[in-house]
Amino acid sequence: MSADPGSPRSPEPTARSTASLKAAPGIPGWLVALLAVACGTTAANLYYAQPLLSSLRDVFRIGTATVGGLITITQVGFAVGMLFLVPLGDRLEKRRLVIVLLAVTTLALAAAGAATSFPMLLIASLISGFTSVVAQILVPFAASLAPDHARGRIVGRVMSGLLTGILLSRTLSSLVSDVAGWRVVYFGSAVLMALLAIALRFALPEHAPTTGVPYHQVLRSTVQLVRTHSALRRRGLYQAAMFGAFSAFWTTVSFVLTGPGFLYSAIGVGIFALVGAGGAAVAPLAGRWADLELARPMTGAAFAVAAVAFVAASLGRHSIVLLALAAILLDMAVQTSLILGQHTIYRLDPNARARLNSAFVATFFIGGALGSQLGTIVYRLGGWTAVAALGAAMPLLPCCIGLGSAQLLAALRADGGTTRPLESQTSQHVHRSTTPREFAF
């Protein structure tokens, strides 16, 4: 491995080279639990508004597509934070960085709770989304603390907390808003962030930076990592499609549940969200599958399960049982794909895990933002059936792209006279990273 973690010549680790890395000391169980809680509570900030969209639409007297922009702008802020803040996890001492970001998040959430207009709420949500990247600093932190042979399981446990927090955020938001109003949701989250900052200040060990290069070079090296590692690009595309489908479902299902077919209250929507939380049980299993080198087949299975989930959702327009089944299957599929993807990219360069995670998560959150916005637009134009069709198509898109590219490359290489001049001008690294094998799951 080269001295510069962002160098394009950094070799992708094989199973043998990964096994040869020095094992990290064990991570205490209580710290794993705290990291899981921390990831869950910070990630929840991105989703508190989803079950509140119907109420916020009435409070601010705006349209369905406009209020859906609240979810989109929050996810855009998160994606920007992934690109510009998370790489600092390799450049700065991680514990201090986490505390500063939590302090800013606390202030932004308090401003959201005090918002007197929808634009003010949008700005506050943009900032809180930008700084709620704390979870994606803590996940590679946990990966660095875990021994090599158990890294998948440790990351799976931390991610189960993160994903449970995302799903329970909807229930908590619905219950609190129904009892005390939507503003208390944001004020309460601000208090949680302040308490979390105090707890992590005393619980986290100091973690020295893994690079000393200037900030602009850290950002540049992140781009270089994307160019270098085809696995990073591929996994980012996969998860962008999956998270786009996930966001389209959860952004629009509240309109279905509060509409004429069900007439659920905010509490009813929140209770429904609890069903989806059952999907978090798959996270530790996904970590074990990753440790057993089953990433490719289980990723393909996750895509298939996501598509089936939207078929069930389409049939469940008037059936709460089918909608609940769709929610569970979709959450299981998204979590499996996410954990397998993170396990894959963390092995690419141990000295650049924060930057690798930055590029990976930013990519799929852009997909999530597009899914949220497309979901609300498609729902307005074609209803729930159209959203289900969109959601079923999104997980299959990267499969079609990958398989089509692999077949094209195989066909070109079969024609020796066509491909040889091009390959003679291509570096060995690029040639290796674009083989049909690279486009497989």
Side-chain angles (χ1 to χ4, degrees):
M1 184 174 298
S2 62
D4 180 6
S7 170
R9 292 182 173 81
S10 298
E12 297 184 13
T14 62
R16 180 178 301 175
S17 64
T18 302
S20 66
L21 294 174
K22 183 178 179 180
I27 176 172
W30 65 266
L31 184 54
V32 175
L34 178 60
L35 289 172
V37 171
C39 289
T41 53
T42 54
N45 295 328
L46 305 174
Y47 301 95
Y48 284 133
Q50 282 187 345
L52 305 179
L53 293 181
S54 296
S55 299
L56 293 173
R57 178 183 57 189
D58 297 336
V59 168
F60 293 107
R61 298 180 181 179
I62 53 180
T64 299
T66 301
V67 75
L70 178 63
I71 307 301
T72 302
I73 199 69
T74 305
Q75 292 178 336
V76 168
F78 185 85
V80 174
M82 288 299 306
L83 291 174
F84 291 98
L85 292 180
V86 172
L88 289 173
D90 290 331
R91 177 67 179 80
L92 303 177
E93 198 278 310
K94 289 184 177 62
R95 183 177 66 179
R96 184 178 304 171
L97 177 61
V98 166
I99 301 308
V100 171
L101 292 178
L102 285 174
V104 177
T105 305
T106 299
L107 296 176
L109 289 169
T116 56
S117 66
F118 189 67
M120 182 177 176
L121 180 59
L122 283 177
I123 294 172
S125 298
L126 177 66
I127 296 172
S128 66
F130 182 65
T131 55
S132 289
V133 296
V134 168
Q136 298 303 330
I137 295 174
L138 293 176
V139 172
F141 196 166
S144 298
L145 295 175
D148 290 344
H149 68 276
R151 182 165 294 119
R153 290 190 291 274
I154 296 298
V155 171
R157 290 169 187 166
V158 174
M159 288 300 300
S160 67
L162 185 152
L163 297 165
T164 300
I166 290 175
L167 296 170
L168 292 182
S169 65
R170 302 180 181 94
T171 302
L172 180 63
S173 175
S174 298
L175 294 175
V176 172
S177 65
D178 194 69
V179 172
W182 66 269
R183 296 183 186 276
V184 178
V185 174
Y186 290 101
F187 287 137
S189 181
V191 173
L192 283 176
M193 292 302 100
L195 294 175
L196 183 61
I198 296 171
L200 292 178
R201 169 63 182 81
F202 293 102
L204 288 180
E206 290 189 4
H207 196 280
T210 57
T211 182
V213 300
Y215 177 61
H216 71 279
Q217 291 185 19
V218 171
L219 296 180
R220 185 180 302 171
S221 69
T222 303
V223 175
Q224 196 64 34
L225 287 167
V226 175
R227 293 176 178 174
T228 301
H229 298 298
S230 61
L232 176 60
R233 299 191 300 272
R234 184 176 67 250
R235 282 289 170 177
L237 174 63
Y238 289 171
Q239 199 60 30
M242 291 287 277
F243 199 60
F246 177 88
S247 298
F249 178 90
W250 284 106
T251 299
T252 56
V253 74
S254 63
F255 299 136
V256 176
L257 296 176
T258 58
F262 296 98
L263 297 175
Y264 280 16
S265 65
I267 291 180
V269 175
I271 293 174
F272 175 83
L274 279 176
V275 175
V282 79
L285 291 176
R288 292 188 179 92
W289 295 332
D291 287 335
L292 294 173
E293 305 295 339
L294 296 175
R296 287 182 176 179
M298 297 313 298
T299 298
F303 288 159
V305 170
V308 170
F310 276 100
V311 173
S314 177
L315 298 174
R317 175 64 180 84
H318 300 288
S319 170
I320 194 62
V321 174
L322 286 177
L323 284 179
L325 176 63
I328 294 172
L329 291 176
L330 180 60
D331 291 343
M332 291 177 64
V334 172
Q335 292 179 36
T336 297
S337 176
L338 174 58
I339 292 169
L340 295 174
Q342 286 185 310
H343 185 269
T344 299
I345 67 167
Y346 288 160
R347 299 171 65 183
L348 298 176
D349 190 338
N351 291 325
R353 284 188 175 126
R355 282 166 285 171
L356 290 166
N357 199 53
S358 167
F360 174 66
V361 179
T363 300
F364 79 69
F365 257 84
I366 291 172
L370 291 174
S372 296
Q373 195 62 38
L374 283 174
T376 55
I377 293 173
V378 169
Y379 181 81
R380 179 170 57 86
L381 296 176
W384 180 246
T385 301
V387 173
L390 172 68
M394 292 183 78
L396 301 179
L397 179 62
C399 299
C400 296
I401 294 174
L403 292 174
S405 300
Q407 292 172 358
L408 176 61
L409 287 169
L412 289 174
R413 289 197 175 104
D415 183 3
T418 301
T419 60
R420 193 168 292 113
L422 177 61
E423 290 178 353
S424 66
Q425 302 174 21
T426 307
S427 67
Q428 181 179 2
H429 174 78
V430 174
H431 175 83
R432 177 179 59 78
S433 65
T434 56
T435 61
R437 177 182 174 88
E438 287 296 319
F439 289 97
F441 293 126

